[in-house]
Amino acid sequence: MLVLFITDLHTSLKDEYPHDIDLRQNFLDVLRVTKRYNYDFLVLGGDLCFKDGDSQIYRWQKSHLDRTNKPYFIIPGNHDDQGLLNEIFPEFILTGDDEIYYKQSLGGKTMLFLDTARGRTSVKQQDWLREELDQLRNQRVTLFMHHPPMLMQVPHMDKNYALQDRNELMAILKETANPKDVFCGHYHVCKSGMEDQISVHITPSLFFQIDQYEKEFAVDHLNIGYRLIRIENHNVLSGVHYLTGNRKA
């Protein structure tokens, strides 16, 4: 089973070019180039919109996602609006805490999709995660979320934008000893880390990449990245690929 994971799209409104970057073309280029892989499904890891959730942007993205003729799954990021996402993509249902989290059985594997858009998870979501992981304790588990669940040695992001309840979330992940693969974004870098049996893989943005060694915010480069994840039996292999980002014409 092959999964395409893209995150931090930050798509802008038509004729809007933040930092002189054509974010819409970046998104279209990734969809076009990745057709050749014949992936099984696509996961969008949050921050679909440039600043705030916008129905115009979501509708534009949906029109192009539907044209891929591939199943796709969405989790919200801190620049999204769960209510608007649910309105435009009604299959992604709001819980009582206005979060979008769920599980999917794909290719014989159960995958978990979390909502960290508010910078932390609700008690209700934590209880749900604990119950789901307990049922999956005898298999390797794949999870998708926006924020990494632990600090990743990216000074600017760790200091200012880390997941607030990461310690609580990691404690839940550690309650069962089976391996867990977490795929996330938010940090605008390519980086992996591991703690106990939990491996965390950050995927680059479709906007710009942050210099992961600077204490203050600095752009590293404008190439855009996507991740391919191959899941076969008990093995999970993944790698990041880059494309040249688009500047305003």
Side-chain angles (χ1 to χ4, degrees), residues 7-11 19 21 23 46-50 78-79 146-148 154 156-157 161 184-191 202-213 217-225 242:
T7 186
D8 298 272
L9 289 63
H10 290 281
T11 302
H19 301 283
I21 295 172
L23 291 158
D47 279 2
L48 277 65
C49 292
F50 168 48
N78 51 290
H79 288 278
H146 183 64
H147 295 65
V154 181
H156 173 71
M157 297 302 291
Y161 301 107
C184 54
H186 185 54
Y187 272 33
H188 288 234
V189 299
C190 176
K191 197 161 192 176
I202 303 177
T203 298
S205 168
L206 300 192
F207 192 177
F208 57 74
Q209 312 314 325
I210 289 175
D211 189 323
Q212 59 182 284
Y213 303 106
F217 172 78
V219 174
D220 185 10
H221 60 83
L222 301 181
N223 292 333
I224 57 176
Y242 285 96

Side-chain angles (χ1 to χ4, degrees), residues 91-201:
E91 61 270 37
F92 303 111
I93 300 170
L94 290 169
T95 69
D97 294 299
D98 290 335
E99 294 172 316
I100 296 175
Y101 57 87
Y102 52 97
K103 65 179 177 180
Q104 287 286 335
S105 294
L106 302 157
K109 300 282 289 186
T110 299
M111 302 184 184
L112 305 181
F113 299 78
L114 307 185
D115 183 341
T116 64
R118 294 185 176 89
R120 61 182 306 110
T121 54
S122 67
V123 172
K124 183 176 180 181
Q125 184 177 178
Q126 291 177 11
D127 289 343
W128 172 85
L129 176 62
R130 185 177 285 108
E131 291 175 4
E132 294 298 332
L133 290 175
D134 186 61
Q135 295 178 26
L136 298 169
R137 62 172 54 246
N138 295 320
Q139 62 180 272
R140 187 167 186 158
V141 180
T142 301
L143 304 96
F144 297 97
M145 56 194 294
H146 183 64
H147 295 65
M150 64 185 192
L151 298 180
M152 296 295 292
Q153 300 302 309
V154 181
H156 173 71
M157 297 302 291
D158 280 347
K159 178 181 178 181
N160 298 293
Y161 301 107
L163 185 66
Q164 297 168 33
D165 61 342
R166 59 188 178 276
N167 293 333
E168 294 94 320
L169 205 60
M170 284 294 283
I172 294 171
L173 294 174
K174 291 178 181 179
E175 286 177 6
T176 52
N178 51 322
K180 300 171 184 73
D181 301 287
V182 179
F183 296 98
C184 54
H186 185 54
Y187 272 33
H188 288 234
V189 299
C190 176
K191 197 161 192 176
S192 295
M194 189 166 187
E195 186 172 320
D196 293 342
Q197 290 287 336
I198 304 160
S199 58
V200 179
H201 306 280

Side-chain angles (χ1 to χ4, degrees), residues 72-84:
Y72 58 86
F73 302 94
I74 295 173
I75 52 175
N78 51 290
H79 288 278
D80 290 310
D81 183 300
Q82 289 100 322
L84 288 177

